[in-house]
Amino acid sequence: QWEWAIIRSGRKARPMLNNVLPVTDLRSLARRKMNPLEFKSIPSGSYSDASSADGWQVQREGKTATRICRPKARSLLLEDRVWSLLYRLGFDYLSGEGGAQLEQDSRTENNPYNQIDVVGLDPEVALAVECKSAEQPRKYSEFQKDLAKHVLTRQRFGASVSNQFPLPHKRVALTVMFTWDLILTETDEERAKNENVVLLNEKDLHYYEQLAAHLGPAAKYQFFADMLPGRRIHGLEIKVPALQSRLGKYTCYTFSISPEYLLKIAYVSHRAKGKATDVNTYQRMIKKSRLKRIREYIDQNGIFPTNIVVSLEGKRHVNFEPWANDGGKEVAKHGLLILTPSYRCAWIIDGQHRLFGYSGHERAKTSHLSVLAFEGLPASKQAQLFIDINHEQKSVKRSLLQELYAELNWDAEDEDKRVSAIVSKAVQVLNEDKESPFYGRILFADETRTETRCITLESFFRILNQPGMFTVKKSVEYGPLWTGDNESTLK
């Protein structure tokens, strides 16, 4: 009756999103998707050489049926891994078996629809995910066509989500593309950026899977932070009593806050994320065993007397209203710190394990953590502060320091330090570039040696940074690999 009423009135029909279900109805599907094998049953005695040639193996034989299995094809495996990631991250609604269908015109009986590989709905975000893969690394020649097709669904996808899954506030509708062994050009990446499509690859997927396994529900906010940096989080403005002071030339605040709140706005930059071009990546990957010990400590009513150290990203997130000040400019001020948070606005410099120990813990709402928050601390200073703090607690490996040269010295005035930064970044880029002969072969500080990942960063760094290759005589004579600026020298 509703459809006929729209047709008679001449109003345009609203697009419909089908096969999106509450996660509480998808537990059995989740078990199948999390398994790297696919299964099917065939009549007993019908297993043949043709089945074996297709990769099927007998798992269990019965009187009337035989259960066979085989590894999932890469295209299916990618979709299932992405779906399983959103399931572990705690999305409220997910697409069912076979993906979601977005109708193009709900007024017609045989209306066409767009198939969306994975759909995930959260109170803040609605994701429409396209998954593309190749059996071997190759250039993505169909990227422009696939991107254009995916972009066309965004408006109808957002409208259908708003109509069918209404909330008091509007969700952010995002179009995402996950790729596996498809090589994108700089032009491809720029085109996706201009179309507001989030590009993620198999290394990003592996990182988020690790993070979800370690952190539980708090990993969702790290995921959102990468996709929506700077996006304001609905309903999270807060006022807390704080002490404003200066450390060196930087303004900082000391205050107490609940772990639950800080988990939503905090972001940890991990080297393990695999973005060699991201100059902010310096933290160690979170250790699951250490998180377990911290959770046990919390269970035993343990307290943390030392500060979580963070950097708040800029003035637009921070406003301080001082109370009556009875001292001069150099005296610390008491007042109210007003936080207007967004995803990725509080970068954790130190204390990530103490904070993420509360992820999914019942005391995350009622406990409090002491925080030392810098205002707008540059990434290089964050990295240096991380080393200064951790050096006293645990010796920082030389190989880790060489990885951090790109962050610590990228803008250094001293030419030798800048060269070290360029060499460090070059080695990391060569390890990430699928067209590089060194792809996946460089052994970094916290990784395990394998038959292929066996070239140490230290040895590669030493070979590239030979005397005369970059600087022969400072400010006078340069070697064959120096072009005059960092980016062109890196390339």
Side-chain angles (χ1 to χ4, degrees), residues 269-340:
S269 184
H270 298 292
R271 294 178 305 100
K273 185 170 180 294
K275 295 290 189 183
T277 54
D278 182 358
V279 298
N280 298 321
T281 55
Y282 60 85
Q283 284 273 35
R284 294 186 182 98
M285 190 65 181
I286 289 174
K287 305 295 183 185
K288 194 171 185 178
S289 59
R290 192 172 173 190
L291 284 179
K292 182 180 178 182
R293 292 196 301 270
I294 288 176
R295 288 189 177 114
E296 291 172 352
Y297 179 70
I298 295 170
D299 289 337
Q300 297 165 5
N301 299 316
I303 60 171
F304 301 105
T306 54
N307 288 329
I308 306 292
V309 183
V310 307
S311 176
L312 296 171
E313 299 294 298
K315 287 284 187 184
R316 68 192 185 96
H317 300 301
V318 182
N319 186 28
F320 185 72
E321 295 180 350
W323 296 325
N325 185 24
D326 55 0
K329 291 183 179 181
E330 303 304 320
V331 176
K333 302 175 183 177
H334 293 84
L336 278 179
L337 179 65
I338 304 170
L339 297 176
T340 307

Side-chain angles (χ1 to χ4, degrees), residues 169-417:
H169 59 276
K170 188 177 181 180
R171 291 181 179 92
V172 180
L174 282 178
T175 43
V176 182
M177 292 185 74
F178 267 98
T179 61
W180 189 350
D181 274 343
L182 288 169
I183 300 168
L184 300 176
T185 66
E186 290 184 8
T187 303
D188 292 335
E189 292 174 355
E190 188 64 29
R191 184 176 285 117
K193 183 179 178 181
N194 292 337
E195 295 288 358
N196 292 319
V197 173
V198 179
L199 293 181
L200 298 168
N201 59 27
E202 71 275 10
K203 197 144 193 176
D204 297 316
L205 177 58
H206 177 66
Y207 167 77
Y208 293 123
E209 287 172 336
Q210 283 185 299
L211 207 60
H214 281 64
L215 301 186
K220 178 169 65 175
Y221 299 104
Q222 308 291 298
F223 185 51
F224 290 170
D226 283 337
M227 294 190 296
L228 292 166
R231 181 86 185 194
R232 183 174 175 179
I233 305 175
H234 177 79
L236 278 188
E237 183 173 290
I238 193 174
K239 295 181 180 181
V240 293
L243 181 69
Q244 183 193 61
S245 57
R246 301 276 295 181
L247 285 178
K249 61 180 181 179
Y250 298 103
T251 300
C252 60
Y253 305 92
T254 306
F255 56 92
S256 178
I257 204 165
S258 73
E260 181 187 51
Y261 183 89
L262 192 55
L263 282 167
K264 293 179 179 179
I265 68 172
Y267 186 81
V268 183
S269 184
H270 298 292
R271 294 178 305 100
K273 185 170 180 294
K275 295 290 189 183
T277 54
D278 182 358
V279 298
N280 298 321
T281 55
Y282 60 85
Q283 284 273 35
R284 294 186 182 98
M285 190 65 181
I286 289 174
K287 305 295 183 185
K288 194 171 185 178
S289 59
R290 192 172 173 190
L291 284 179
K292 182 180 178 182
R293 292 196 301 270
I294 288 176
R295 288 189 177 114
E296 291 172 352
Y297 179 70
I298 295 170
D299 289 337
Q300 297 165 5
N301 299 316
I303 60 171
F304 301 105
T306 54
N307 288 329
I308 306 292
V309 183
V310 307
S311 176
L312 296 171
E313 299 294 298
K315 287 284 187 184
R316 68 192 185 96
H317 300 301
V318 182
N319 186 28
F320 185 72
E321 295 180 350
W323 296 325
N325 185 24
D326 55 0
K329 291 183 179 181
E330 303 304 320
V331 176
K333 302 175 183 177
H334 293 84
L336 278 179
L337 179 65
I338 304 170
L339 297 176
T340 307
S342 68
Y343 296 116
R344 208 171 185 166
C345 77
W347 288 71
I348 304 297
I349 298 171
D350 187 60
Q352 57 177 352
H353 287 91
R354 278 169 279 155
L355 173 60
F356 288 109
Y358 281 98
S359 175
H361 199 285
E362 60 183 7
R363 299 189 181 182
K365 290 184 178 181
T366 56
S367 299
H368 283 82
L369 290 170
S370 296
V371 178
L372 173 63
F374 288 88
E375 187 178 311
L377 196 66
S380 61
K381 292 295 183 183
Q382 293 179 34
Q384 186 63 60
L385 189 56
F386 165 74
I387 289 178
D388 291 344
I389 292 170
N390 283 273
H391 185 70
E392 297 301 323
Q393 302 172 18
K394 181 179 178 180
S395 179
V396 178
K397 298 178 183 178
R398 177 174 175 79
S399 55
L400 175 58
L401 288 174
Q402 287 175 333
E403 288 181 53
L404 298 178
Y405 280 151
E407 287 73 36
L408 295 174
N409 299 315
W410 188 255
D411 296 317
E413 294 183 6
D414 184 275
E415 290 180 350
D416 288 340
K417 291 182 178 180

